[in-house]
Amino acid sequence: MTRPIAVLRPEPGNAATAAAIEAQGRRAIRLPLFRIVALPWDGPDPGAHDALMLTSASAVRHAGPALARYAALPVHAVGAATAAAARAAGLQVVATGSSNGRALLDAAQAGGVRSALLLTARERAVASHPAVTAIEAVYASEAIEPVDPAPLAGSIALVHSARAAARLADIVPDRRPIAVVAISSAAAAMLGDGWGAVTVAARPDDAAVIAAAITLADTLARD
């Protein structure tokens, strides 16, 4: 019997990933471990910056009306989803990175960016960078309490961040019945030992995570 695939990321990504899984004829378990909430923030003077950095579509969705002040700044975004959200908000995307926030900032610096504004999460992965002169936390990822891990037994759980991997490891008392697909090696490293199987996606994006989960489900079904 093919294992169900458990989606742990927050909404609205949870529903999008689950729908993509179900579109391929697989059963998805919707079990978000976090919720995204907007934070109040005072946007700095747009004239003091030469670029806007976005490492998540959540930054666009939760920045609020103040985001419009930066419509004239060139935007550097991590991932196609972030870039699409930025364009939908009326921003000018000039670069889309396919890796992580640090790689995006390195590329922007190499391209001449010297005073970027970074909009990110309170639990940001990029603490500082020479190309960034201001960092604004516009949203937070808050743990949902309590979460019952029982539905995860016999599933393949997807972890889209290192923080999600650490939370999964904290809430699961028996790891053996659960296989995990991690979005990156950094996320996999936070899982610890004892899982039924652990696989790292070929690329750090949702489509690659889903593809790895389906491949793993088929492999385990044959074993």
Side-chain angles (χ1 to χ4, degrees), residues 2-219:
T2 304
R3 295 189 179 209
I5 300 173
V7 186
L8 309 182
R9 66 190 307 202
E11 295 291 4
N14 191 287
T17 299
I21 292 166
E22 291 165 348
Q24 298 193 52
R26 308 299 173 117
R27 183 163 72 90
I29 298 171
R30 293 165 167 81
L31 191 70
L33 302 183
F34 300 92
R35 65 172 61 88
I36 303 298
V37 297
L39 298 176
W41 65 293
D42 297 320
D45 179 7
H49 301 286
D50 59 4
L52 182 64
M53 300 292 177
L54 301 170
T55 58
S56 168
S58 291
V60 180
R61 287 192 290 263
H62 296 279
L67 186 63
R69 297 182 61 204
Y70 305 97
L73 290 179
V75 172
H76 298 248
V78 172
T82 304
R87 292 190 183 97
L91 302 178
Q92 304 175 38
V93 178
V94 298
T96 303
S98 59
S99 183
N100 54 40
R102 177 65 61 173
L104 178 78
L105 295 174
D106 288 344
Q109 183 184 24
V113 173
R114 296 293 179 267
S115 57
L117 167 63
L118 171 63
L119 302 186
T120 186
R122 185 173 60 198
E123 309 80 10
R124 59 182 176 262
V126 179
S128 62
H129 192 278
V132 175
T133 54
I135 300 174
E136 291 282 345
V138 300
Y139 72 97
S141 176
E142 297 184 343
I144 294 174
E145 297 285 2
V147 172
D148 180 7
L152 298 177
S155 75
I156 296 175
L158 309 185
V159 290
H160 283 75
S161 69
R163 190 163 176 245
R167 180 96 195 281
L168 178 64
D170 283 343
I171 67 171
V172 173
D174 183 5
R175 300 175 178 182
R176 291 170 297 175
I178 304 171
V180 184
V181 172
I183 197 168
S184 65
S185 296
M190 299 302 293
L191 289 166
D193 300 324
W195 303 95
V198 175
T199 295
V200 177
R203 302 182 313 277
D205 60 49
D206 193 44
V209 171
I210 294 171
I214 290 174
T215 298
L216 181 57
D218 291 345
T219 298

